[in-house]
Amino acid sequence: MKQANWIAGRVSALEEVENRGTRKSIRYVGLLVVAVAAMCLMFLARADESVPLQLLQTLPLPGFSGDFDHFAVDEKGGRLFLAGEDHKTVEVFDLKTGRRLKSIEGFGAPHSIIYLPETDRIVIADGDKGSLQILRGADSMKLDGAAQIVYVVTGGKDVPLDYSFLVAIDLKTLRKVGQLRIESNHVEAFALESSSWRLFVNITDKHEVAVVDRKAMKEIARWPIGSQAENSPMAYDEKHHRLLIVCRKPGTLLVMDSDSGKVVAQLPAAERSDDIAFDAEKGRVYVPGGEGTISVFQQKSADQYKLVAKVTSEPGAKTCLLVPSLARFFVAVSPGETRATAKVLTFKVLP
């Protein structure tokens, strides 16, 4: 009897040990499942962050040589415009299908394009003879939609001149209403502030940013960028009062406080860029580089930015256009001095 009770006790003890082991195993399995799920979520979050663009279409453009310059869009009419700088044309594409619709000839060296939906016209800054004759040497161009005044940078070393001009054109009369002489032979992109009369312009040969009162057409400040890099493309985050400046040699994204001129951030970016796109809603900055990559940055705060992806494009892909309403990002591939085929790349912008 004692032996039987002893055996029963041992069996009960073994069952308890086994049950405890099973419970521990279940807990371990549960913890492992939670850990794996957490890792998967982290991986998916990183994947979403690191792949902001998906290539949808590559449209070859045989017969083109030299460089393209900037894009413009007619969203209502479904048209995409591209300046064929060295081809002396403006190319027109179907915005949704990417199909090339026609080529508009008769230009010298088209650079910037602005589409005017009110009149269904396009304004082209022509670096050779100009769409308006007073714009010889014209390059960068921006529109003050409220005032219906277009501002154009002209002159400089390409004309050639040792100085440049910022010219204001009234679109209602097509007459020059203002002009500012800038003592620089290399002035690049600029940005307008809609809440004031301020205009910010890259003075590339001086490595500075000039601040202009565009109503008085008077320079009111000059801020150094803090390096010898070539400040060229520019976008403006007006909400945070931050100038987003792309530099070459070396490729850099430089962020400047537009109230003080202080450089608040500086990050390596794609080299040989001729453009920048800023998505204010997503806080995302795109910098296409001629070496064949697109640098994509995420704005964490007004002064904090992170490189989240280097998206492969193609050599010569250095100008771009973001169309947020369609979640599309267009990039022009310039053959340049190579014999590569010109192209337009269409990317889908991912959340």
Side-chain angles (χ1 to χ4, degrees):
M1 185 69 178
K2 289 181 179 180
Q3 187 175 5
N5 290 337
W6 181 84
I7 292 173
R10 296 295 294 173
V11 170
S12 178
L14 287 171
E15 287 176 348
E16 178 63 23
V17 170
E18 184 177 350
N19 289 336
R20 289 179 181 175
T22 301
R23 286 196 295 272
K24 287 183 178 179
S25 297
I26 291 172
R27 284 199 297 270
Y28 290 151
V29 170
L31 289 171
L32 182 61
V33 168
V34 171
V36 169
M39 290 177 67
C40 288
L41 288 173
M42 288 174 62
F43 175 79
L44 289 172
R46 288 177 180 175
D48 287 342
E49 188 178 49
S50 63
V51 188
L53 296 173
Q54 177 188 353
L55 182 63
L56 295 180
Q57 184 184 54
T58 299
L59 177 67
L61 298 172
F64 283 80
S65 60
D67 283 343
F68 291 111
D69 216 334
H70 299 291
F71 286 97
V73 64
D74 166 18
E75 291 191 57
K76 184 178 179 180
R79 293 176 295 176
L80 180 70
F81 305 98
L82 175 60
E85 177 182 351
D86 292 324
H87 200 248
K88 304 181 185 298
T89 59
V90 170
E91 302 302 313
V92 187
F93 304 88
D94 185 294
L95 183 60
K96 293 185 178 179
T97 68
R99 184 172 62 91
R100 184 181 173 198
L101 299 176
K102 63 180 177 179
S103 182
I104 305 173
E105 300 179 347
F107 300 98
H111 288 285
S112 298
I113 306 172
I114 293 175
Y115 174 71
L116 305 174
E118 298 83 1
T119 57
D120 194 30
R121 293 189 301 169
I122 56 173
V123 179
I124 298 98
D126 192 322
D128 184 10
K129 54 188 177 182
S131 56
L132 298 176
Q133 294 301 316
I134 60 173
L135 298 183
R136 183 171 179 268
D139 191 345
S140 299
M141 178 170 60
K142 294 289 182 182
L143 173 66
D144 182 338
Q148 284 294 289
I149 293 176
V150 64
Y151 295 88
V152 187
V153 168
T154 183
K157 59 187 177 69
D158 292 336
V159 175
L161 289 172
D162 293 331
Y163 48 88
S164 303
F165 290 102
L166 176 67
V167 179
I169 305 295
D170 187 325
L171 290 178
K172 297 184 289 293
T173 63
L174 298 182
R175 292 184 178 180
K176 181 170 68 173
V177 293
Q179 178 173 289
L180 172 66
R181 175 167 167 155
I182 301 173
E183 298 303 325
S184 166
N185 70 357
H186 191 179
V187 175
E188 284 281 355
F190 60 97
L192 308 182
E193 186 171 62
S194 63
S195 59
S196 79
W197 287 103
R198 293 195 303 170
L199 177 152
F200 309 93
V201 58
N202 273 325
I203 312 298
T204 304
D205 59 340
K206 309 294 185 184
H207 314 289
E208 295 173 336
V209 172
V211 186
V212 174
D213 179 335
R214 65 182 189 272
K215 186 176 184 179
M217 291 302 278
K218 178 181 179 181
E219 185 174 323
I220 56 178
R222 188 73 78 94
W223 296 327
I225 66 169
S227 78
Q228 293 301 300
E230 298 178 357
N231 47 319
S232 184
M234 177 189 287
Y236 188 37
D237 174 9
E238 188 159 353
K239 177 183 177 181
H240 296 103
H241 285 213
R242 294 295 181 265
L243 294 169
L244 308 173
I245 301 168
V246 177
C247 300
R248 309 182 192 122
K249 300 178 183 179
T252 309
L253 173 65
L254 186 147
V255 183
M256 178 179 284
D257 186 321
S258 66
D259 292 323
S260 66
K262 179 183 177 181
V263 175
V264 298
Q266 196 167 340
L267 299 90
E271 187 59 86
R272 293 176 52 221
S273 178
D274 275 349
D275 223 335
I276 182 174
F278 175 57
D279 188 332
E281 183 177 343
K282 288 184 170 62
R284 200 177 283 173
V285 183
Y286 302 90
V287 180
E291 84 282 8
T293 62
I294 303 165
S295 297
V296 185
F297 300 88
Q298 184 64 48
Q299 183 186 58
K300 302 296 185 180
S301 69
D303 296 341
Q304 293 182 314
Y305 301 78
K306 179 183 178 183
L307 177 66
V308 294
K310 291 182 179 179
V311 179
T312 301
S313 56
E314 293 196 23
K318 55 186 181 177
T319 57
C320 66
L321 178 71
L322 175 68
V323 184
S325 62
L326 298 179
R328 293 294 183 268
F329 182 70
F330 300 95
V331 182
V333 179
S334 297
E337 297 176 356
T338 71
R339 295 184 179 180
T341 301
K343 302 180 182 73
V344 172
L345 309 180
T346 303
F347 290 87
K348 179 180 180 180
V349 178
L350 301 179

